[in-house]
Amino acid sequence: MFARSTILRLAGGAALAAITLGAGTLTNVRPAAADAFSNCVAGKWSAARSAGVSRATFDAATRNLRPDKTTLKFANKQAEFVKPIWEYLDTAVSDKRVSTGRQMLRKHGSTLKQIGARYQVDPEVVLAIWGMETSYGSYMGDHNAVQAAATLACMGGRRNTFWTKQFAAALKIAQDGHVPLNKMNSSWGAAMGHTQFIPTSWQAYAADFDGDGKRDIWRSIPDAFASTANYLKKAGWNYQQTWGYEVAIPSNFDHSKADGKKKRSLREWSSLGIKRTNGRPWPRPSDQAYLYYPAGAKGPAFLMLKNFDVIKRYNNADAYALGVGHLADRIVGGGDFSQSWPRNERPLSRAEVREMQSILTRRGFPTGGIDGSVGPNTRKAIRNYQKKAGAIPDGFASNQFLSDLRRQ
Ligand code: CA
């Protein structure tokens, strides 16, 4: 299991913070709460000791430790509206980020080449992750990993065992001299350094590439690159086999075949009429891939290879992985997607999904419950409804679909 928790990254990572617009809840830390915090932190000693932290390190680090109010604010944030994937990608793969990526490739090209060869991971993907995580090191977060993890372990309300582990691991990293504790910059969710590793992921995957004996992902770019490459390699990266292909779907396509991320060989997809948008043949027709169209049949469609899921091990969100893959391609000279996004549409909020599910169910297209989330049963109901209404049965829940549904 990957210690860099995908749940954490979804709850707190830069990627989700960027794709959701949240309603923040301010949390005030009163004096009584601060005492409770100190007591709680003191109670983490046995966990720290088990992680190899000395009493001296623990005492020095916790003596004046206070909760991180901003971390609490982010932890309490509720995602209310989902930003459309094209808006997310506009920022994630902006022209500026592509051009900075190209500059960085020139600047760090020889290091990246060595790292790519050593770990058998495509260097432009490492570069793209760096670009996505911290805008190439320009923003590593202004929190401290020890403080952020302690705050979440004692006041986060959920998953305190997980955060206690992160807290103890962060103390151990500082104790071992890889970076001074006060330089342990992180996001509010304790994702650290240039490529945003949480402490237990750092322990499992961080690498010392520049050979100074420290795995310093905060101050050594080669260490940060090698750590990311190592992570991808251990997650099963297939070297020089890309993450996926943009494809065109024929108009008579059976869209139920795109459901559930069912894998087929590229050869099999071809026999169903699917082609690359650039007209080129598949380099390896026997590769297994699943069809994914993030915005329904009216937007770009992709056949995703194993590397797409490997990127998701870094951050378990399709939008993030598509951003990384696309940014990597753009950096090495690839163009924008051939198909355009349906920018007049937007994904539904949970309340809207519930409304859509009620209407569909009432009209004899059961969605398997009214739960506000779009799963296989809901997509099937949408497809059946679309078929009956003479629309493209792609099962995509857009605001357009809901407003048609309300009118009909
Ligand atoms: Ca080093």
Side-chain angles (χ1 to χ4, degrees), residues 110-122:
S110 72
T111 308
L112 281 163
K113 203 172 161 190
Q114 286 173 49
I115 287 169
R118 184 185 294 181
Y119 292 95
Q120 299 282 286
V121 168
D122 302 75

Side-chain angles (χ1 to χ4, degrees), residues 49-110:
R49 186 179 52 193
S50 306
V53 175
S54 73
R55 187 76 227 190
T57 300
F58 185 82
D59 287 346
T62 58
R63 195 170 295 127
N64 296 311
L65 195 62
R66 291 287 170 265
D68 179 334
K69 290 182 198 176
T70 319
T71 278
L72 280 182
K73 192 174 110 180
F74 277 107
N76 290 328
K77 211 167 183 175
Q78 301 286 326
E80 295 292 340
F81 299 101
V82 179
K83 200 171 185 173
I85 189 166
W86 50 89
E87 281 181 23
Y88 171 72
L89 292 172
D90 286 347
T91 311
V93 193
S94 64
D95 289 345
K96 174 83 168 67
R97 193 167 279 173
V98 171
S99 63
T100 307
R102 289 174 183 162
Q103 280 167 25
M104 293 297 167
L105 184 59
R106 286 192 290 275
K107 190 171 171 188
H108 302 288
S110 72

Side-chain angles (χ1 to χ4, degrees), residues 36 47 90 138 248 270 275 294 336 352 381:
D90 286 347
S138 65
S270 284
K275 294 186 174 73
D336 205 345
E352 288 170 325

Side-chain angles (χ1 to χ4, degrees), residues 54-386:
S54 73
R55 187 76 227 190
T57 300
F58 185 82
D59 287 346
T62 58
R63 195 170 295 127
N64 296 311
L65 195 62
R66 291 287 170 265
D68 179 334
K69 290 182 198 176
T70 319
T71 278
L72 280 182
K73 192 174 110 180
F74 277 107
N76 290 328
K77 211 167 183 175
Q78 301 286 326
E80 295 292 340
F81 299 101
V82 179
K83 200 171 185 173
I85 189 166
W86 50 89
E87 281 181 23
Y88 171 72
L89 292 172
D90 286 347
T91 311
V93 193
S94 64
D95 289 345
K96 174 83 168 67
R97 193 167 279 173
V98 171
S99 63
T100 307
R102 289 174 183 162
Q103 280 167 25
M104 293 297 167
L105 184 59
R106 286 192 290 275
K107 190 171 171 188
H108 302 288
S110 72
T111 308
L112 281 163
K113 203 172 161 190
Q114 286 173 49
I115 287 169
R118 184 185 294 181
Y119 292 95
Q120 299 282 286
V121 168
D122 302 75
E124 66 272 20
V125 174
V126 172
L127 197 53
I129 287 178
W130 186 36
M132 293 279 286
E133 294 288 340
T134 59
S135 289
Y136 310 103
S138 65
Y139 186 71
M140 296 188 221
D142 49 11
H143 299 262
N144 178 273
V146 169
Q147 187 191 21
T151 302
L152 291 163
C154 286
M155 303 175 81
R158 289 173 301 144
R159 306 183 69 229
N160 75 64
T161 310
F162 171 83
W163 290 113
T164 298
K165 266 192 199 140
Q166 302 308 323
F167 168 68
L171 289 175
K172 180 72 164 79
I173 294 165
Q175 175 177 288
D176 291 347
H178 294 280
V179 65
L181 196 144
N182 64 1
K183 299 269 189 252
M184 206 177 237
N185 272 54
S186 76
S187 71
W188 69 265
M192 312 182 298
H194 278 279
T195 44
Q196 301 281 281
F197 278 45
I198 57 168
T200 51
S201 289
W202 182 97
Q203 289 182 319
Y205 305 106
D208 169 28
F209 194 78
D210 61 20
D212 69 351
K214 296 174 166 57
R215 298 188 270 158
D216 188 348
I217 61 169
W218 298 264
R219 299 171 298 180
S220 164
I221 290 173
D223 284 9
F225 286 166
S227 301
T228 295
N230 187 36
Y231 191 103
L232 294 173
K233 186 65 199 166
K234 297 262 166 65
W237 186 262
N238 284 325
Y239 190 38
Q240 295 180 338
Q241 294 191 17
T242 196
W243 51 273
Y245 305 101
E246 189 186 355
V247 296
I249 302 174
S251 55
N252 61 349
F253 185 70
D254 172 5
H255 290 272
S256 65
K257 293 201 158 50
D259 213 353
K261 298 193 169 172
K262 182 179 161 40
K263 289 188 176 176
R264 299 166 200 274
S265 70
L266 295 171
R267 195 179 285 112
E268 229 179 314
W269 286 115
S270 284
S271 73
L272 296 167
I274 293 197
K275 294 186 174 73
R276 290 177 74 181
T277 49
N278 62 14
R280 292 184 205 144
W282 314 109
R284 297 168 308 280
S286 61
D287 278 1
Q288 293 286 309
Y290 59 84
L291 185 60
Y292 171 56
Y293 35 75
K298 286 180 226 159
F302 306 90
L303 278 175
M304 295 308 192
L305 303 176
K306 186 184 177 201
N307 283 344
F308 186 74
D309 290 330
V310 173
I311 299 169
K312 285 177 67 178
R313 300 290 283 271
Y314 214 91
N315 189 338
N316 190 21
D318 287 326
Y320 174 84
L322 188 58
V324 167
H326 188 42
L327 179 58
D329 288 356
R330 295 286 312 275
I331 288 172
V332 294
D336 205 345
F337 297 132
S338 304
Q339 299 153 109
S340 52
W341 296 103
R343 286 179 183 269
N344 55 328
E345 298 196 353
R346 64 169 175 78
L348 300 179
S349 69
R350 288 183 76 85
E352 288 170 325
V353 171
R354 278 195 295 275
E355 183 191 350
M356 175 189 74
Q357 288 172 325
S358 317
I359 301 176
L360 283 169
T361 303
R362 236 177 14 244
R363 297 198 187 158
F365 300 89
T367 56
I370 313 293
D371 61 359
S373 89
V374 179
N377 289 326
T378 299
R379 277 195 296 276
K380 191 174 167 196
I382 297 172
R383 272 200 306 273
N384 287 337
Y385 190 92
Q386 287 169 322

